[in-house]
Amino acid sequence: MSFFQRNRQKLIDAGIDPERLPPGQYHTDRFPVLHVGDVPHIERADYRLSVFGNVANPVTLTFADLEALGPVELTFDIHCVTKWSRFDTTWKGVRFRDVVALAQPAATVAYVIEHAAHGYTTNLPLADCLRDDVLIAWEHGREPLEAVHGGPVRMVVPHLYFWKSAKWLEGIELSDTDQAGFWEQNGYHSYGDPFREQRFWGD
Ligand SMILES: Nc1nc2c(c(=O)[nH]1)N[C@H]1C(S)=C(S)[C@@H](COP(=O)(O)O)O[C@H]1N2
Ligand SMILES: [Mo]
């Protein structure tokens, strides 16, 4: 039996639905850390998030502004392109769509580019970001989000590979056209659906 088959069998033995594991992924209880550049240390009091692009009302929000939008707590599975998946991770934050509504995007906006520390960017369709479970998050596992995992504030887009969830989120750009982000320019798939195994260009 291969590592992947044994990993899947362990889920079945534990009474967990193995169909939650996308093709080519293994389940782990660990929370691996993956990013480019040094971990920035930003206080909540100093945190700012800009929402800009093709919008009627560009805004820069503080941490308190985000909290005032009405936080929600959600639990979902996450999947990294390097093949690990974690189940039932709990996050607190505000819905992306509630943040973006403040900026009044033009009707022609179809893409979002997340901007983060060290110039990290990642792109995805606006429609994906408007889902119920897409969060701008500041708690994980009921604790303040650790700096290594993107604290004080990161994106969480659970239905796409985890590179689409920018840590140390600094800006949200609303664009009529798609713009390949950091990994997307370097061989990763432009959409990145784990269940269709869209890891790399051409998948
Ligand atoms: N700003 C920034 N965000 C990032 C990355 C990065 O390099 N820089 N890496 C991405 C990748 S590839 C993954 S798998 C997840 C990892 O999140 P974690 O370190 O909390 O597990 O963050 C994503 N967000
Ligand atoms: Mo990743």
Side-chain angles (χ1 to χ4, degrees), residues 86-128:
R86 290 187 72 217
F87 289 173
D88 300 316
T89 63
T90 298
W91 301 84
K92 183 169 137 183
V94 279
R95 291 207 163 87
F96 175 93
R97 61 166 181 252
D98 292 340
V99 173
V100 157
L102 299 173
Q104 301 166 33
T108 48
V109 167
Y111 295 93
V112 169
I113 299 99
E114 302 166 34
H115 292 259
H118 306 304
Y120 184 87
T121 54
T122 185
N123 56 301
L124 66 174
L126 175 63
D128 285 80

Side-chain angles (χ1 to χ4, degrees), residues 31-36 80 116 120 149 154 162-163 165 167-168:
F31 194 177
V33 169
L34 269 171
H35 55 257
V36 283
C80 172
Y120 184 87
H149 287 299
R154 76 177 295 169
F162 212 35
W163 89 78
S165 296
K167 311 204 280 194
W168 318 295

Side-chain angles (χ1 to χ4, degrees), residues 23-150:
Q25 296 289 112
Y26 68 90
H27 172 267
T28 180
D29 290 319
R30 293 187 314 120
F31 194 177
V33 169
L34 269 171
H35 55 257
V36 283
D38 295 336
V39 174
H41 288 271
I42 306 152
E43 298 297 324
R44 283 182 172 182
D46 298 327
Y47 180 74
R48 297 291 182 276
L49 175 66
S50 308
V51 187
F52 61 98
N54 192 6
V55 300
N57 181 43
V59 287
T60 299
L61 304 171
T62 64
F63 189 83
D65 292 334
L66 288 176
E67 276 188 309
L69 288 173
V72 292
E73 191 178 84
L74 298 176
T75 298
F76 36 64
D77 302 345
I78 55 178
H79 312 288
C80 172
V81 71
T82 62
K83 303 201 166 183
W84 56 267
S85 292
R86 290 187 72 217
F87 289 173
D88 300 316
T89 63
T90 298
W91 301 84
K92 183 169 137 183
V94 279
R95 291 207 163 87
F96 175 93
R97 61 166 181 252
D98 292 340
V99 173
V100 157
L102 299 173
Q104 301 166 33
T108 48
V109 167
Y111 295 93
V112 169
I113 299 99
E114 302 166 34
H115 292 259
H118 306 304
Y120 184 87
T121 54
T122 185
N123 56 301
L124 66 174
L126 175 63
D128 285 80
C129 292
L130 300 180
R131 291 167 53 127
D132 280 347
D133 56 358
V134 174
L135 295 182
I136 293 177
W138 57 82
E139 273 187 26
H140 169 259
R142 304 214 163 88
E143 299 285 344
L145 187 58
E146 290 172 81
V148 286
H149 287 299

Side-chain angles (χ1 to χ4, degrees), residues 1-13:
M1 226 199 264
S2 76
F3 168 79
F4 286 93
Q5 285 170 319
R6 277 199 312 276
N7 186 270
R8 209 178 164 82
Q9 188 58 47
K10 269 197 222 156
L11 288 177
I12 297 168
D13 295 346

